[in-house]
Amino acid sequence: MNETRFRFLNEERKRELVKNWRKFSSNPLSIVGLISVLIVLFLAIFAPWVAPYPQSWGRWVDFNNVLKPPSWTNWMGTDNFGRDIMSRIFFGFRYDLMMAAAILVMVVPLGTILGLIAGYFSGTFIDTIIMRVTDVFLAIPSLVLALAICSLLEPSLFNSMMAVSVLWWPWYSRLSYGIAISLKNEYFVQASELIGASTPHILFREILPNCLSPIFTKMTLDVGWVILIGASLAFVGLGAQEPIPALGNMVSAGTKYMPDYWWMTIFPAIAIAFTILGFNLLGDGIRDLLAVEEV
Amino acid sequence: MKLLPYIAKRLLYSIFVLLGLSILIFTLSRVIPGDPARLALGPMAPQWAVDQLREKLHLNDPLPIQYIIWLTNALRGDLGESIVSKRPVIEDVITFFPASFELVIFSTIISIALSVLIGAMAGRRANSLFDNLVRVFSYIGISVPTFVWAILFLFFFGYIWKMLPTLGQLSTEFTRPPFITGMMSIDALIVGDLGAFIDHFKHMILPSVTMSISRIAQDAKILRAGMIENLKKDYITSATSFGVPESRITFKYLMKPSIIPMVSIMGMEISGSMGGSFIIETIFNWPGFGRYGMWAMLNKDLNAIIASVMIVGAFFALINIVVDIIIAYLDPRIRMVERSA
């Protein structure tokens, strides 16, 4: 008896999954996004094994092979230290994805919780304080604030992560704030208030589950944006520093050799674009799937 | 709610937000490790000179006092002295800001013109080949970072095809028109130097196109979606059945409601362009505010960093108020309702 019921639930879930997959895969762009993201993830995770010259990731000099154009031995050419560009790009995916993941892990819970609290206590001074602080961070294009904060700190990968985190949480608090405000007068919230549920219970068990799909969608889209801003910081020299092969500073290192040794710049640039494009396409696919209106 | 009190309220609110921003960036600039006076004088300066400067810059006072001193000075137009240019920051801003403003205005014109054209054509013919091309373009346009576009343009138009000048504002054979508005194209026209105007215009093309690509992509996408949405409305069907010409339907009846979402993000985008100018102007060596700000940041020029953040913030606030007024003009439904934040 129990077993049949279990099997039934399993069937149900499987049918749901198939339905969702059909819906997701009906848009070829989402599939392109998913495949690109999977490729980038694969290359990032297995970089030491799939990179043809894994020693190229760091301080490595090979003066016999300096600035070689793309060939069969080095598909994307070599840089001014004789390091293989393709291998460095694979490791670059690692740093860029790590940066995005670390930032989102810090930013999403913080922003969401602050937004939930502000939304649930809307109209009180808690709301005023949290949301006015949020407005301050959103009062300026994020790139400029990120550049300014990075320039005040010592330029490094870690500090650029810190800078982006400092200015990224307000987007999540604004998102969850809107949802919390619209839900706080719903019957299920009022009912749990009536039976004396604690505030944390209402916030995290009643309201939070309704925020998860938009937050998840925004996170997927944000991976692309965070990589973009991190690459911009690294490009101007305020982010990751040599010899770390972050994609942004590979591009900027290449610009000094630009017209003649174009492969040093063009290939990392394409890699950045490919990654961001993949996450944007995937994010849009997920947004359509979860029927999230606006993120 | 009438428009005027609404604008007044928005202005007042913006002032509070800008105060918050100034507290944030001022505090950050003072709590970082390293002595601002030492930074200003360099590592070789004797200790007594550093001490003297600390006294002069009120660095020995508690932070709130320092902030109040900075704020009262800033309100009088004194933003301190820049380390790198050795001039008052406010003078630098006055010199460099117009050039950036010119670039931003020009790229706004480009992006509005192109995105309206592309978005309207794509929205009118949903799922056609052209529409699909536009969708792919808008994904690529949004995803590729501006510095990558800048480098690609430099490479192809500047070096390979040698079609356009890539660096600076003016070729060497022309004399710089006098500084009247600071926007060189207007200055050249005022003095009547047509050659310099045309040359300057050519210099402006690459940086401003770089600046507008992501905006064209975004705007065209939004306009397209709005068009497709509004195409289903009854008033379009009835206009079509009355035999109103298609171009008139597209540009008169369909465009006006569809363009509102695009206009409403325009404030964000224009100030985004101002932010993007920090990188674009550095790459194209455009002597504007963005390059100045970037230069200050790379040299840890604290006064100039604070000033550039505050000026971009003030620009952001002003542009958003202007955009709100435009939207209120376009959409009477919004005019009466207060928009949040």
Side-chain angles (χ1 to χ4, degrees):
Chain A
M1 176 83 184
N2 253 342
E3 206 174 277
T4 47
R5 206 169 138 203
F6 181 66
R7 197 177 296 150
F8 175 72
L9 277 176
N10 243 356
E11 290 282 279
E12 187 84 323
R13 182 161 287 178
K14 212 183 278 170
R15 219 172 297 150
E16 184 83 350
L17 265 178
V18 170
K19 207 180 98 195
N20 279 341
W21 170 252
R22 289 239 173 87
K23 197 173 164 196
F24 179 80
S25 58
S26 64
N27 185 355
L29 289 175
S30 318
I31 297 290
V32 173
L34 181 67
I35 293 174
S36 337
V37 168
L38 287 179
I39 292 175
V40 170
L41 277 177
F42 174 81
L43 292 176
I45 294 169
F46 296 104
W49 296 279
V50 289
Y53 302 93
Q55 69 274 29
S56 291
W57 83 268
R59 285 183 209 283
W60 168 265
V61 178
D62 180 1
F63 284 125
N64 290 325
N65 288 312
V66 169
L67 295 169
K68 284 266 158 61
S71 65
W72 283 115
T73 41
N74 302 97
W75 289 7
M76 296 182 183
T78 61
D79 68 0
N80 53 327
F81 293 107
R83 297 174 296 196
D84 179 46
I85 303 269
M86 194 166 79
S87 309
R88 281 177 71 73
I89 286 178
F90 291 175
F91 282 96
F93 285 141
R94 260 191 176 188
Y95 286 99
D96 284 36
L97 289 182
M98 245 164 51
M99 179 176 179
I103 288 171
L104 290 176
V105 163
M106 284 190 272
V107 157
V108 175
L110 178 73
T112 309
I113 292 172
L114 285 176
L116 281 180
I117 294 173
Y120 184 64
F121 295 107
S122 63
T124 65
F125 78 100
I126 303 177
D127 167 33
T128 316
I129 292 173
I130 295 178
M131 294 323 283
R132 290 323 84 152
V133 172
T134 308
D135 285 346
V136 168
F137 280 92
L138 299 178
I140 181 171
S142 26
L143 179 66
V144 176
L145 197 54
L147 286 170
I149 297 176
C150 280
S151 69
L152 294 173
L153 305 165
E154 285 306 311
S156 73
L157 183 64
F158 181 76
N159 283 340
S160 66
M161 273 160 50
M162 283 297 150
V164 180
S165 309
V166 163
L167 56 93
W168 215 267
W169 62 268
W171 294 106
Y172 286 90
S173 40
R174 193 169 260 195
L175 181 66
S176 59
Y177 177 74
I179 299 171
I181 275 207
S182 69
L183 289 183
K184 77 172 218 181
N185 290 325
E186 291 286 326
Y187 287 137
F188 68 95
V189 175
Q190 288 182 344
S192 35
E193 273 168 5
L194 270 178
I195 56 172
S198 65
T199 312
H201 176 91
I202 294 172
L203 284 182
F204 299 117
R205 302 298 290 272
E206 305 291 343
I207 299 180
L208 181 65
N210 294 290
C211 307
L212 289 182
S213 341
I215 285 174
F216 184 66
T217 312
K218 184 163 174 56
M219 272 173 76
T220 328
L221 287 166
D222 270 1
V223 176
W225 296 120
V226 169
I227 290 178
L228 192 144
I229 209 164
S232 306
L233 289 173
F235 175 77
V236 296
L238 292 173
Q241 303 288 311
E242 258 304 296
I244 290 178
L247 296 173
N249 57 12
M250 286 174 72
V251 175
S252 88
T255 48
K256 297 183 199 85
Y257 298 85
M258 193 36 194
D260 300 321
Y261 308 106
W262 53 270
W263 55 88
M264 262 185 84
T265 314
I266 300 293
F267 288 119
I270 292 173
I272 295 176
F274 180 77
T275 317
I276 299 171
L277 184 62
F279 277 102
N280 279 347
L281 290 174
L282 179 68
D284 274 4
I286 291 177
R287 166 161 52 192
D288 292 343
L289 179 68
L290 299 177
V292 178
E293 290 259 314
E294 200 146 335
V295 181
Chain B
M1 200 178 207
K2 285 280 189 317
L3 199 56
L4 216 62
Y6 171 61
I7 296 169
K9 207 177 154 194
R10 282 294 306 266
L11 264 175
L12 197 71
Y13 184 66
S14 302
I15 289 171
F16 276 106
V17 170
L18 286 176
L19 275 178
L21 185 65
S22 69
I23 293 175
L24 172 77
I25 192 72
F26 186 84
T27 314
L28 275 172
S29 77
R30 289 295 183 264
V31 297
I32 48 148
D35 182 352
R38 175 56 81 185
L39 274 174
L41 294 172
M44 305 300 277
Q47 190 56 44
W48 58 265
V50 176
D51 290 338
Q52 218 167 38
L53 190 65
R54 281 186 69 86
E55 198 58 43
K56 200 182 138 206
L57 296 176
H58 308 282
L59 288 172
N60 297 323
D61 294 333
L63 194 60
I65 309 264
Q66 286 186 43
Y67 173 73
I68 288 165
I69 294 172
W70 175 86
L71 186 66
T72 43
N73 284 336
L75 290 177
R76 277 193 236 115
D78 175 13
L79 293 165
E81 197 170 281
S82 157
I83 308 173
V84 269
S85 72
K86 310 272 182 230
R87 299 199 309 170
V89 172
I90 190 77
E91 274 179 32
D92 286 341
V93 171
I94 292 169
T95 319
F96 290 119
F97 193 81
S100 292
F101 190 64
E102 181 184 25
L103 210 56
V104 169
I105 293 287
F106 189 55
S107 83
T108 303
I109 294 172
I110 295 177
S111 54
I112 292 178
L114 284 181
S115 57
V116 164
L117 197 70
I118 296 175
M121 278 165 72
R124 211 55 229 275
R125 310 242 176 289
N127 294 321
S128 64
L129 177 69
F130 180 76
D131 179 40
N132 282 325
L133 283 178
V134 168
R135 280 170 74 190
V136 171
F137 160 75
S138 45
Y139 269 111
I140 294 176
I142 295 170
S143 303
V144 177
T146 42
F147 67 88
V148 172
W149 286 122
I151 288 167
L152 289 178
F153 286 158
L154 274 179
F155 184 56
F156 286 109
F157 293 100
Y159 294 111
I160 304 251
W161 301 324
K162 299 205 182 356
M163 286 162 71
L164 288 166
T166 52
L167 297 179
Q169 280 183 309
L170 204 60
S171 306
T172 39
E173 60 259 37
F174 294 99
T175 41
R176 228 193 119 91
F179 189 97
I180 303 168
T181 58
M183 292 183 246
M184 204 184 267
S185 50
I186 294 176
D187 288 353
L189 282 182
I190 291 176
V191 239
D193 190 349
L194 209 60
F197 173 76
I198 291 169
D199 186 68
H200 174 67
F201 189 79
K202 280 186 191 158
H203 278 83
M204 207 151 59
I205 292 175
L206 281 185
S208 49
V209 168
T210 312
M211 208 177 246
S212 44
I213 282 196
S214 64
R215 290 177 55 184
I216 297 172
Q218 187 119 353
D219 291 352
K221 198 176 170 184
I222 292 172
L223 185 62
R224 173 191 174 273
M227 285 273 213
I228 291 173
E229 180 73 33
N230 285 318
L231 206 53
K232 296 176 199 144
K233 298 270 169 71
D234 291 340
Y235 70 93
I236 298 292
T237 318
S238 61
T240 317
S241 63
F242 283 143
V244 180
E246 194 186 303
S247 59
R248 198 180 154 85
I249 293 181
T250 310
F251 286 100
K252 185 139 194 260
Y253 301 123
L254 207 49
M255 192 68 93
K256 206 174 167 189
S258 311
I259 214 166
I260 288 168
M262 181 181 136
V263 177
S264 67
I265 63 159
M266 200 156 279
M268 201 92 155
E269 285 185 339
I270 292 177
S271 32
S273 293
M274 198 37 113
S277 76
F278 278 66
I279 288 176
I280 293 171
E281 288 180 2
T282 309
I283 297 175
F284 288 103
N285 203 18
W286 186 267
F289 177 68
R291 194 189 67 162
Y292 173 72
M294 201 66 242
W295 193 39
M297 287 173 181
L298 292 174
N299 289 299
K300 265 207 174 182
D301 187 346
L302 295 183
N303 286 331
I305 294 175
I306 298 174
S308 24
V309 168
M310 290 316 296
I311 280 168
V312 175
F315 182 74
F316 193 27
L318 272 180
I319 287 288
N320 273 326
I321 291 173
V322 172
V323 165
D324 274 356
I325 296 171
I326 294 175
I327 290 179
Y329 166 75
L330 281 176
D331 189 348
R333 285 169 300 181
I334 302 178
R335 211 170 296 167
M336 298 302 142
V337 189
E338 191 192 0
R339 286 165 16 102
S340 61

